[in-house]
Amino acid sequence: MRSWPVLLLAAYPSAMWAQQPGRITEVERVLAPLVQSYGVSGMEAPVRATVERLLPRGLRPETDSAGNLWVTVGRGEPIVVFVAHLDEIGFKVTGIQNDGSLELAPVGGLFPSLWEARPALVHTGRSVVPGVFMPRGSDAAADPKWTPPDLRADVGTTSRDSTTSLGIRVGNTLTMPKQFVRLAGARATGRSFDDRVGSAAQVIALRRLNPARLRHTVVFVWSVREEIGLEGARAVANALGLRPARVHAIDTFVSADSPREPQNFAMAPLGRGAVARALDNSAVTPPAYVDTLVALARARHIALQVGTTNGGNDGSVFAGYGVPDIPVGWPLRYSHSPAETIDLRDVASLADIIQAIAEQW
Amino acid sequence: MLRPLVFSAGLLLWGSLPVTVGAQDRDSLSSLTGRLASITAVTGYEQAMVDTLLRLLPGAIRDRAGNARVQLGGGSAKRLIVCPLDEPGYVVGSVRGDGYLTLRRVPGQVPPLFDQQLEGHRVTLQGRQGLVPGVVAVRSIHLTRGRDPPSETPFTVDDAYVDVGATSPAEVTALGVRVLAPVTLAKRPHSYGDGLLAAPMAGRRAACAALILAVRQSILRAKLIPPLTVAFAVEQELSQRGLGTLANELGAFDETLIVDGRPGSRGSLQQMPDSAVSVRWPRLGRVRKWSLPVSYAGTPVETVWLGDVESLREALVKWIGGDQ
């Protein structure tokens, strides 16, 4: 792999974090409310509402029949698409037992051990009912495994009727309470940074760019149901067909920057800028596009790393229409866990590169 | 209206109940239980909790063991009531060159999956300049793809790397965090159902809250309280140093009552003799234990029912007043 990150970091050590305190505050004010909104795949309405509230005035956001939120700025060809997803992992209710407890199935990829014996929130669509993810029973604890038996939730009831009287139904979703918490320096932790960071970066970019100065049409999409198969983005791709010139998925770069990870790839350190996600499990960015992106970042003095990681991205579903996918992310530690950790400077960098792409590419 | 208090099978029936609870009582009990359940008191490092208790109990002192204790009534007390206040937890074991911290569990008995509760969750470190948030590293599920599945061996403290956002030992030091800083899961007590409260050590914290409110109520209402020592004891999970010091410094007592939490069914308060403690500390006299029933004991969602906590408070008021 070429050594782009080293070259870029060496070239712009002082310029890339200019105006840090103000930028960090700006990022935090957009990101925190998004992180503290709840939206398991298929139930993204609260997150979508938060994005709409955070968007700058004068735009005309529209929600399509799939639930994706669209903002179109600029005029004329080519069409460039950015897409970040609204949804988060969690659980859904698959049954209600006679003792009132809830049977659950995971939504998206997760380690069940991280949810066992934790506070729970049931999202009925009309209200949020607190409960707990039940710990395994004493029989399973006698010879413990890392992975618990199938998880259930207790909402403090003792019968099926009392549970349904709370408005809980099969199909409702469950999450765990979450908070946006600052760590040392510019670091922060929370749950569902994947992909609230991408969602926030698109909002920040829109706040900073001047639509009147754009030379072509730019479509910003906040998509639904990414975690369960890129479903929202597929609807967007089908709607736009052959028209887009490029798509930029704005999504997590899952980083191996942790002592618990093998570091033979995905090694994008936190705090060193956005990451061109040049290869993942769903797409390979054409090398010439990576080169162009790197050159753009260099010209705009934006910190950018280049790497390869795992996972799929929303841009990959545009492939059937011949639309190149050039995903950009930010380094994330401990993906899909309650302890996801980021560096807020990377979010500013991500917003900057989105703005630069919209304005200059 | 709360349910009548019924003791567990084989235990005494509490004749003077049922107890009714006013909304205000329940609010203050809920508030105090939540407050205490939010505080970290790792065995041997309980002083932040003791500081809080000293503020809550006028006239209370910190004794030579570090216990918080207060004397009620006049004369020499022959009765002692104790709530343990410590919890299993960790201290920082070392600071790595990359700014991550490793952990050492404090000695004492813990459930089999106690360490695993840390993995991928937020923790709180007691730094010299205040509380410091951190997280315990976990593998990213995305990066397990195409590799051998994660081991089914439970997570242990040796797997724990604490990320406070620092990138060097100097940054860790600047946060006020050193080797031996106490560490526990971040605590945010969680209410659910009809008066249920979930938190690590919820039973013990709720028992201490009931005792505090019972003492305050007794001081306000009683014209004459029979001599009594009320104590919140340190290091119960390790050496019982707090309890032993009370016995040897203030004993001999005729009787000692220990309040705590233990697994049980909602609506029942367990009362039983504690002969092991009696034998170990004979100067405590006849030792009995009243235990709040908790579900999901020893987990981050250990749950108490506030109705039981209120019933314990009422029972303690009677005991403090001399009603056996």
Side-chain angles (χ1 to χ4, degrees):
Chain A
M1 191 163 83
R2 293 167 63 178
S3 56
W4 285 312
V6 174
L7 289 172
L8 286 168
L9 291 166
Y12 303 109
S14 58
M16 65 184 183
W17 302 131
Q19 303 173 343
Q20 263 187 34
R23 294 305 305 279
I24 298 297
T25 302
E26 177 189 26
V27 167
E28 188 167 349
R29 285 182 178 165
V30 175
L31 181 56
L34 283 167
V35 165
Q36 288 167 183
S37 301
Y38 294 87
V40 175
S41 308
M43 296 279 281
E44 298 93 346
V47 191
R48 186 169 54 236
T50 304
V51 170
E52 289 189 87
R53 182 170 59 79
L54 292 167
L55 285 170
R57 291 180 182 174
L59 301 176
R60 294 180 182 172
E62 296 177 29
T63 301
D64 67 18
S65 58
N68 303 302
L69 183 69
W70 296 56
V71 170
T72 302
V73 290
R75 302 175 67 178
E77 301 292 324
I79 295 174
V80 174
V81 180
F82 293 95
V83 56
H85 66 87
L86 295 168
D87 57 324
E88 67 188 79
I89 59 164
F91 287 83
K92 65 180 176 184
V93 178
T94 57
I96 302 174
Q97 297 200 340
N98 289 336
D99 65 0
S101 65
L102 309 179
E103 299 168 3
L104 307 176
V107 178
L110 53 83
F111 293 136
S113 62
L114 303 184
W115 298 72
E116 180 184 19
R118 303 291 164 176
L121 300 173
V122 185
H123 304 269
T124 70
R126 293 186 175 181
S127 65
V128 178
V129 180
V132 297
F133 291 98
M134 296 163 67
R136 69 191 75 185
S138 55
D139 50 340
D143 179 25
K145 307 288 187 211
W146 181 61
T147 302
D150 289 346
L151 287 179
R152 287 189 294 143
D154 172 3
V155 290
T157 55
T158 55
S159 69
R160 186 195 308 264
D161 285 348
S162 52
T163 296
T164 56
S165 73
L166 298 172
I168 295 173
R169 300 287 184 272
V170 168
N172 289 166
T173 59
L174 279 88
T175 60
M176 189 189 302
K178 54 184 177 173
Q179 270 186 304
F180 176 93
V181 174
R182 285 293 299 271
L183 300 174
R187 302 279 164 93
T189 186
R191 194 173 60 69
S192 72
F193 280 147
D194 175 8
D195 185 26
R196 303 300 155 72
V197 168
S199 296
Q202 290 193 167
V203 169
I204 295 166
L206 265 168
R207 287 180 174 189
R208 296 173 78 87
L209 63 78
N210 181 351
R213 293 179 57 192
L214 295 179
R215 295 178 297 184
H216 55 79
T217 302
V218 181
V219 178
F220 289 86
V221 175
W222 288 263
S223 67
V224 295
R225 303 194 298 279
E226 189 270 355
E227 299 288 3
I228 56 172
L230 318 180
E231 292 181 6
R234 203 176 307 278
V236 175
N238 292 338
L240 291 171
L242 298 169
R243 295 166 59 206
R246 297 187 313 276
V247 59
H248 298 274
I250 305 299
D251 202 349
T252 311
F253 183 95
V254 178
S255 175
D257 182 20
S258 153
R260 298 210 60 202
E261 302 289 0
Q263 297 186 339
N264 50 318
F265 70 92
M267 190 53 206
L270 269 63
R272 297 192 189 173
V275 193
R277 188 168 149 168
L279 183 155
D280 63 19
N281 298 104
S282 68
V284 176
T285 307
Y289 285 88
V290 177
D291 289 344
T292 302
L293 186 63
V294 168
L296 179 61
R298 182 184 292 268
R300 299 273 290 233
H301 296 240
I302 298 166
L304 181 75
Q305 309 179 70
V306 178
T308 166
T309 188
N310 274 357
N313 75 76
D314 268 344
S316 65
V317 295
F318 289 69
Y321 295 99
V323 180
D325 176 18
I326 304 106
V328 188
W330 75 98
L332 176 78
R333 288 176 176 167
Y334 328 129
S335 71
H336 284 194
S337 83
E340 288 183 341
T341 296
I342 60 169
D343 192 305
L344 297 171
R345 296 173 299 180
D346 298 333
V347 188
S349 166
L350 181 64
D352 287 347
I353 196 71
I354 294 170
Q355 182 186 356
I357 292 168
E359 290 175 344
Q360 281 187 251
W361 186 5
Chain B
M1 174 106 132
L2 296 178
R3 301 178 198 181
L5 249 182
V6 180
F7 289 118
S8 300
L11 304 176
L12 296 173
L13 187 65
W14 196 277
S16 57
L17 302 171
V19 172
T20 57
V21 184
Q24 191 174 357
D25 290 340
R26 191 159 168 170
D27 285 349
S28 61
L29 196 65
S30 170
S31 169
L32 183 58
T33 301
R35 180 177 172 189
L36 296 184
S38 303
I39 300 175
T40 292
V42 174
T43 302
Y45 301 89
E46 303 96 339
Q47 292 314 307
M49 175 69 86
V50 172
D51 290 343
T52 298
L53 295 171
L54 294 178
R55 286 193 291 273
L56 289 168
L57 285 173
I61 61 164
R62 189 192 313 268
D63 72 10
R64 59 190 295 135
N67 301 314
R69 75 174 198 232
V70 64
Q71 198 78 15
L72 302 183
S76 176
K78 293 297 177 188
R79 297 189 304 154
L80 171 67
I81 184 164
V82 180
C83 187
L85 49 78
D86 58 324
E87 63 187 293
Y90 305 85
V91 296
V92 173
S94 72
V95 180
R96 287 167 40 115
D98 57 8
Y100 277 93
L101 313 173
T102 56
L103 298 180
R104 163 75 156 98
R105 182 164 16 89
V106 297
Q109 294 285 323
V110 294
L113 290 167
F114 186 77
D115 289 344
Q116 184 161 305
Q117 297 171 6
L118 290 175
E119 187 181 29
H121 284 277
R122 192 150 59 83
V123 292
T124 301
L125 299 89
Q126 284 185 305
R128 296 188 179 199
Q129 298 154 22
L131 302 178
V132 176
V135 299
V136 175
V138 58
R139 290 189 68 183
S140 288
I141 192 167
H142 297 86
L143 297 180
T144 62
R145 189 169 176 171
R147 291 171 162 149
D148 290 339
S151 165
E152 279 300 326
T153 303
F155 178 94
T156 76
V157 68
D158 292 334
D159 304 315
Y161 297 91
V162 178
D163 181 350
V164 291
T167 58
S168 68
E171 289 183 20
V172 174
T173 303
L175 294 170
V177 173
R178 310 275 199 282
V179 169
L180 295 179
V183 181
T184 62
L185 279 173
K187 296 182 178 183
R188 297 186 71 201
H190 177 71
S191 297
Y192 69 104
D194 181 16
L196 299 172
L197 186 83
M201 303 297 289
R204 178 167 288 181
R205 297 291 182 264
C208 289
L211 178 55
I212 290 167
L213 291 178
V215 168
R216 291 165 68 159
Q217 182 180 341
S218 299
I219 292 171
L220 284 174
R221 294 184 187 173
K223 292 178 180 172
L224 182 63
I225 299 174
L228 170 70
T229 299
V230 178
F232 298 84
V234 300
E235 294 189 31
Q236 186 73 6
E237 297 295 314
L238 176 59
S239 59
Q240 298 185 357
R241 188 166 69 91
L243 195 59
T245 302
L246 290 164
N248 291 321
E249 185 182 3
L250 302 179
F253 294 99
D254 291 337
E255 65 177 322
T256 295
L257 179 61
I258 300 172
V259 294
D260 206 342
R262 62 171 290 158
S265 301
R266 189 192 308 183
S268 64
L269 178 66
Q270 299 175 55
Q271 183 203 43
M272 58 182 69
D274 194 332
S275 55
V277 173
S278 296
V279 169
R280 183 171 182 186
W281 309 109
R283 292 172 67 83
L284 292 178
R286 182 163 51 97
V287 179
R288 286 185 296 164
K289 192 167 186 179
W290 289 1
S291 299
L292 272 175
V294 302
S295 50
Y296 312 136
T299 75
V301 291
E302 182 171 300
T303 296
V304 291
W305 181 48
L306 292 173
D308 285 333
V309 187
E310 179 58 28
S311 298
L312 175 61
R313 183 186 69 83
E314 290 288 342
L316 289 170
V317 168
K318 293 178 186 299
W319 193 88
I320 290 169
D323 180 353
Q324 300 299 299

